[in-house]
Amino acid sequence: MQELDFGVHVRGAVRKSFFVFCIALLAVAADGGNPLFAGFAFGVLVSIVSGILLAVRIARLGEMKEVLDSAEERKKARWGAQMAVGALRWLFVISMLVFAVKTGWFNLLAVLGGLFVLPAFAVGGGLKVLLGYRKDLHKCNSF
């Protein structure tokens, strides 16, 4: 059941994304600062930071549900937390994209491709867990 824990899932996706980031940095070093590889590495780094901010947001919402008693208080607090952390996360991503465009140091398409690395690992990990449990259910329902 440990693979269903949210923290384990997030750490696995971040760890795999960081590995891809390290490989991209090696490619940047080997190719002398190619904007394509640099853009991909930059996009993966932004994706990791954005994913961590999203995980913090989700964890806070889970904690608020346990702490607050009233449904109305919970609704107000949840809306405020979602707006604050969500706005910060999107502001960070957009500002990094503007930075990539304004400086010209990075290939914009590579940056956008790098942004999809962490979500791809997160979805892949979730599908792996779901398909693994589905396979075990078929073994149990054979009567």
Side-chain angles (χ1 to χ4, degrees):
M1 276 307 228
Q2 186 177 0
E3 62 268 2
L4 293 179
D5 184 33
F6 178 70
V8 172
H9 185 68
V10 170
R11 282 190 297 274
V14 169
R15 188 178 301 123
K16 292 172 187 171
S17 298
F18 188 73
F19 180 73
V20 171
F21 173 69
C22 291
I23 290 174
L25 282 182
L26 288 174
V28 169
D31 201 14
N34 186 347
L36 184 71
F37 295 133
F40 185 74
F42 184 70
V44 172
L45 183 63
V46 170
S47 176
I48 290 170
V49 172
S50 175
I52 291 171
L53 288 174
L54 181 62
V56 167
R57 176 181 173 190
I58 292 171
R60 280 188 187 169
L61 289 176
E63 291 170 3
M64 272 192 247
K65 183 178 179 183
E66 297 171 1
V67 172
L68 299 174
D69 295 331
S70 169
E72 189 62 34
E73 289 177 2
R74 194 179 313 148
K75 185 177 178 182
K76 287 179 185 176
R78 186 180 300 142
W79 184 82
Q82 284 178 351
M83 292 304 292
V85 178
L88 176 69
R89 185 173 73 94
W90 284 108
L91 183 67
F92 172 73
V93 171
I94 291 170
S95 63
M96 291 298 108
L97 287 173
V98 169
F99 174 76
V101 169
K102 292 288 184 181
T103 60
W105 297 341
F106 309 108
N107 183 333
L108 182 61
L109 293 177
V111 173
L112 292 173
L115 287 175
F116 286 101
V117 170
L118 187 116
F121 281 128
V123 170
L127 287 175
K128 179 182 170 188
V129 168
L130 287 175
L131 293 176
Y133 278 105
R134 185 175 179 197
K135 185 173 45 174
D136 290 340
L137 287 176
H138 287 298
K139 290 177 185 177
C140 295
N141 291 333
S142 59
F143 49 108

